[in-house]
Amino acid sequence: MTLRVTSPVSGRAVPLSEVPDPVFAQAMVGPGVAVEPDRGAADVVSPVDGVVVTLHPHAFVVATEDGAAVLVHLGIDTVKRKGEGFTLHVVKGETVRAGQPVVSWDPAEVEAAGFAPICPVIALDATPEVLGDRAGGPVAVGDALFSWQR
């Protein structure tokens, strides 16, 4: 089975190696793709259909019915903002559809506060070889970001 993971934000898809954080850049959390988001207030949407199993203002994990879990992290070190600048639209345990808004934020405001707004999208508990096609260049919300062979 192949899981299509879509972009939670509009921007430019880049390799994880471009994320200014070694934990993401070295794929210690898992393989994936990062998106350098367009600047301006926007909704961040679920990249897959599933259940919100982890939810913080700056990050969330959605697990699919078959157990694949995808992490979306909004910016680097944004946990230090303690939720400032993020508005949640769902609760932990909620079932969501790909494309459904999960969080609202403004990447330009995050950047102005001194944080990199880049968004790693990670296939948790996966190995790099299970990821198929990966997007590069411009992506819109809902565009395919990568495929995950399950």
Side-chain angles (χ1 to χ4, degrees), residues 2-145:
T2 301
L3 176 63
R4 180 176 172 260
V5 178
T6 61
S7 186
V9 295
S10 292
R12 184 175 55 90
V14 298
L16 284 182
S17 60
E18 293 189 22
V19 176
D21 179 291
V23 173
F24 289 113
Q26 296 172 22
M28 290 181 207
V29 181
V33 173
V35 180
E36 184 62 49
D38 292 339
R39 301 310 191 256
D43 286 336
V44 180
V45 305
S46 179
V48 293
D49 293 344
V51 174
V52 178
V53 294
T54 302
L55 182 63
H56 302 284
H58 68 283
F60 60 91
V61 175
V62 178
T64 66
E65 195 173 89
D66 74 344
V70 179
L71 166 68
V72 175
H73 202 283
L74 305 177
I76 302 304
D77 292 331
T78 47
V79 65
K80 294 176 183 174
R81 303 205 69 206
K82 296 182 169 66
E84 182 184 343
F86 301 94
T87 303
L88 297 173
H89 300 293
V90 298
V91 295
K92 184 177 176 182
E94 187 171 334
T95 299
V96 294
R97 304 284 300 166
Q100 180 177 334
V102 176
V103 182
S104 293
W105 75 321
D106 186 339
E109 191 272 332
V110 167
E111 191 170 47
F115 299 91
I118 195 164
C119 299
V121 181
I122 307 295
L124 296 176
D125 297 322
T127 55
E129 53 275 359
V130 300
L131 294 196
D133 297 332
R134 299 182 202 192
V139 291
V141 168
D143 285 355
L145 202 53

